Amino acid sequence: MVFPDRNTNMKTFNTIGKAKPAAQPASLTSWASRRQQSRRSLAIVLGLALAIGGLAATLRPPEADDAADLDEEAAIAQVSAYLLENSHYTGHRLDDAMASRFLDRYLQMLDGNRSYFLESDLAEFAPLRTRLDDLTLRRGDTSPAEQIFERFKERLEQRVAYVQELLKTEKFEFSGNDTYTGDREREPRPRDLTEAKQLWRQQLRYEYLQELLNDKQPDEIVKTLKRRYDRLAHNLKQWNHDRVFELYLTALANVYDPHSDYMGRRQLEDFSISMNLSLAGIGATLRSEDGYCKLQELVAGGPAARSKLLKAGDRIVAVAQDGQAPVDVIDMPLQEAVSLIRGPKGTSVQLTVIPADSTDSSTLKTITLVRDEIKLEDQEAKARILDLPGKDDTTLRLGIIDLPSFYSGVQGGKGGEEKSATADVAKLVRKLKRENIQGLILDLRHNGGGSLEEAVSLTGLFIHRGPVVQTKSAEGLMKVENDPDASVLYAGPLIVLTSRLSASASEILAGALQDYGRALIVGDPATFGKGTVQTVLPLSSMMRRAGMEVAADPGALKLTIGKFYRPDGASTQLRGVKSDLVLASPTAKLRIGESEMTDPLPWDRVRPVRHMNYDLVEPYLETLAENSRKRLATDPDFIWEGKDLERIQQRLDNPTVSLNLAERRAEKAELDKEAARRKQELAGQTKPLPKQYAITLRNADSAGLPEAMTVSRNSRPSNLLSNASSATNDESGAENDLEHDSRDIVLEETVRILGDYVNLTAPTKPTVAAKTASSIN
């Protein structure tokens, strides 16, 4: 099974939805039992030529003395190592250099903030830098995983004991000039236990101050922090051998690239959830980062996305069930936090979060969501028609299509409906054309990918036949995916709206339309930058084919086996697709994207393939950019947005914060005053409200337009545009209501840019069909 367009590393991410109960991890006793029952020689397995995902992965047999002693766990480790060596795109041998990175990656996964392991610990582990390759490949020996984990456990227990003592004896004062730096990913590790305790004490003081800034009383703060560290110690005790083993093999896979992964039983379940459009929960994807549960992605149509109160990058610090006290989830294992957030449809869950765009991490907000089943139609493509005032009392009619993913195949389980992103978008485009739109925006800002085939065929709706993407295999073989259809469904002015969250298939489409000169790319400076293709290899079937009995599911290996390239030869990997016209957006500042990951594959290029150049962007780009700059220079929304982005950037550049209470309170008071000024200034604006019509797949075949959407004036009167997924489409006709307070200023400006684009192209009426084909070599 190939998933070329998923940007989610399912070992570190979990999708929040309802699933069948996971199989419980095996205990140490059960593992020992299985070792006695299933000792097998792996000479057969490691001598096979395996044809998996179209690749021949020939595994070298171990030495005879080693093969006799291999057990099931060792077999999993050794097979995984050989598959990575022989089937990964890079073809890199697991040598001493990779072994050293393997050790670093495992240490990072245990202690990413560099506050537990001491320099003396690293000196003790140093001999493994030239041994992990031989231990894993020749014997399947994973004992270093447990040895290192035991040292981590020792350090963490020392920290918990020290903190608990401080909570009893420390007099917490915040009148000095000391500071705290939370991001220690690139800082040196503590030299000894004394230096480590200094770090732990400063971390505790920071946590205490955060609670104090949220008006908590000292006794309450002490209780909260004591519970937090008690839970930290308790959670550590829940780690069994299986979890350590999974983490260790994940570290090995991640050495090759961040999208290669070992998935145990529980991770396979989460991966299955992520590929299923039918979920029950809040509809979000979480990542564990620096002890926080961090929102990575909101599932279109889910309660979290519909609320308009959460966004990627928000950090969840507490979870409360309906009517119950909040549970602190800082430093809680991700899977346990996920279990608190998941729940039956119709029940409520309360999340306390630190907003991603907050310049003060003590700023918290509490959000209540009702868990729900995410309906299929909520994740389908949907559209809107906007009527804007044009020149000489005319009306400018524009269309917007929101595409959450490049979905394909049977959706909603066995017997479900056959769905296709291309077919659905085509249906919407035909409706928009019948209603005489003059320009179109394709919104891919929250589209993390999907089917490669859909990306190719959907691109074909806007171009003549021709190459859309090139794929390079591990062997260096190039394959060109072409749009074979010479027809063009829509030939008018087209904008593709992207963000840092647009990934994989979104980047294929945006890159191709940019290379063809067919669409103006607007949004964040660049997209996510995932230009690789993965395949999932179930280890059980492979081992059984080799004649080895598998007592329990050994999991699967997700391998990167190829890279994508645009028609012009440039890879989308790492750099993504750059916007022709950049609009300021908080997502541009978030530390997400391929370049933020550890050990990503590099950017490169291949030979371009011949393709059309319609030249529908370059002649107008300078004028469009200048008009937009003039508007934004006096637009209060973007002026305030610019100030916010400056603060976010300053915080990213200097993550050190003051531990002076008076100073922090003054900073918070100033932010509150600025927020009040902003609210007052924006409340005085009176921009015209465009007429908007919700177009769904259900009403796309109906004659005429539905009733115009009503705009709530709970917020200031404005040219209110929302993410299309906020328009509900239940059977009661609520699809015509747009009732929320949030505004999408990036989309508003994109609409104005499209209006300019339509006006610039109107005199000559250039169309795709009218352009002379040219080639790029």
Side-chain angles (χ1 to χ4, degrees), residues 49 148 179 391 412 460 507 535 574 591 602 609 620 652 662 689 709:
I148 295 172
T179 59
K391 296 180 180 179
E507 297 173 291
T535 187
L574 209 59
R591 287 188 168 177
V609 288
Y620 315 104
L652 292 173
L689 300 174
M709 300 164 68

Side-chain angles (χ1 to χ4, degrees), residues 229-256:
Y229 281 89
D230 283 342
R231 191 183 60 248
L232 187 62
H234 173 76
N235 290 337
L236 185 68
K237 293 177 182 177
Q238 303 307 305
W239 277 68
N240 59 16
H241 181 74
D242 282 9
R243 290 184 65 180
V244 176
F245 177 71
E246 289 175 7
L247 190 71
Y248 189 65
L249 288 193
T250 295
L252 173 60
N254 283 177
V255 166
Y256 281 81

Side-chain angles (χ1 to χ4, degrees), residues 525-537:
T527 54
F528 189 93
K530 181 182 180 294
T532 56
V533 53
Q534 283 74 41
T535 187
V536 175
L537 311 179

Side-chain angles (χ1 to χ4, degrees), residues 379-393:
Q379 298 197 53
E380 294 173 335
K382 53 185 68 68
R384 277 176 295 163
I385 291 175
L386 275 63
D387 283 344
L388 303 176
K391 296 180 180 179
D392 303 323
D393 296 326

Side-chain angles (χ1 to χ4, degrees), residues 269-518:
E269 175 188 309
D270 290 326
F271 186 78
S272 176
I273 291 173
S274 76
M275 298 303 293
N276 186 348
L277 289 187
S278 180
L279 303 173
I282 69 167
T285 301
L286 288 182
R287 176 179 183 175
S288 180
E289 184 174 295
D290 295 334
Y292 288 101
C293 294
K294 188 174 183 180
L295 281 167
Q296 175 69 15
E297 182 181 3
L298 303 185
V299 179
R306 290 199 305 264
S307 75
K308 295 295 175 182
L309 300 174
L310 291 169
K311 56 187 171 299
D314 287 352
R315 290 173 289 172
I316 301 174
V317 298
V319 179
Q321 308 306 319
D322 192 10
Q324 299 182 21
V327 175
D328 189 319
V329 297
I330 296 175
D331 286 322
M332 179 180 286
L334 183 61
Q335 292 172 348
E336 294 186 24
V338 167
S339 67
L340 290 176
I341 299 172
R342 284 178 182 165
K345 175 182 177 180
T347 59
S348 296
V349 62
Q350 187 182 82
L351 307 179
T352 303
V353 304
I354 301 173
D357 52 5
S358 173
T359 56
D360 186 344
S361 56
S362 68
T363 301
L364 304 178
K365 66 178 181 179
T366 301
I367 296 159
T368 299
L369 300 174
V370 177
R371 300 178 179 103
D372 193 12
E373 179 181 359
I374 302 172
K375 301 176 182 178
L376 176 61
E377 56 264 31
D378 289 333
Q379 298 197 53
E380 294 173 335
K382 53 185 68 68
R384 277 176 295 163
I385 291 175
L386 275 63
D387 283 344
L388 303 176
K391 296 180 180 179
D392 303 323
D393 296 326
T394 60
T395 297
L396 188 64
R397 175 161 285 183
L398 305 176
I400 302 172
I401 292 179
D402 179 76
L403 184 65
S405 69
F406 289 86
Y407 49 86
S408 177
V410 176
Q411 308 297 328
K414 185 176 180 181
E417 180 184 3
E418 185 78 22
K419 295 295 295 179
S420 161
T422 301
D424 288 351
V425 169
K427 184 176 183 178
L428 295 173
V429 169
R430 292 188 186 99
K431 172 63 175 176
L432 299 182
K433 287 175 63 178
R434 289 197 299 272
E435 300 302 332
N436 301 311
I437 64 162
Q438 296 160 274
L440 177 64
I441 295 171
L442 181 60
D443 191 346
L444 302 180
R445 285 176 296 170
H446 303 284
N447 190 317
S451 165
L452 169 63
E453 292 77 13
E454 289 300 315
V456 173
S457 58
L458 205 151
T459 302
L461 300 180
F462 307 105
I463 63 171
H464 287 98
R465 66 166 62 95
V468 175
V469 64
Q470 305 182 71
T471 305
K472 183 180 180 181
S473 71
E475 295 80 14
L477 302 177
M478 298 299 301
K479 181 181 179 182
V480 180
E481 302 287 349
N482 288 280
D483 165 39
D485 189 353
S487 64
V488 176
L489 180 60
Y490 175 75
L494 175 65
I495 289 179
V496 177
L497 183 56
T498 62
S499 76
R500 191 68 169 160
L501 300 173
S502 306
S504 295
S506 293
E507 297 173 291
I508 289 172
L509 179 142
L513 293 180
Q514 189 175 59
D515 286 354
Y516 276 75
R518 174 63 188 92

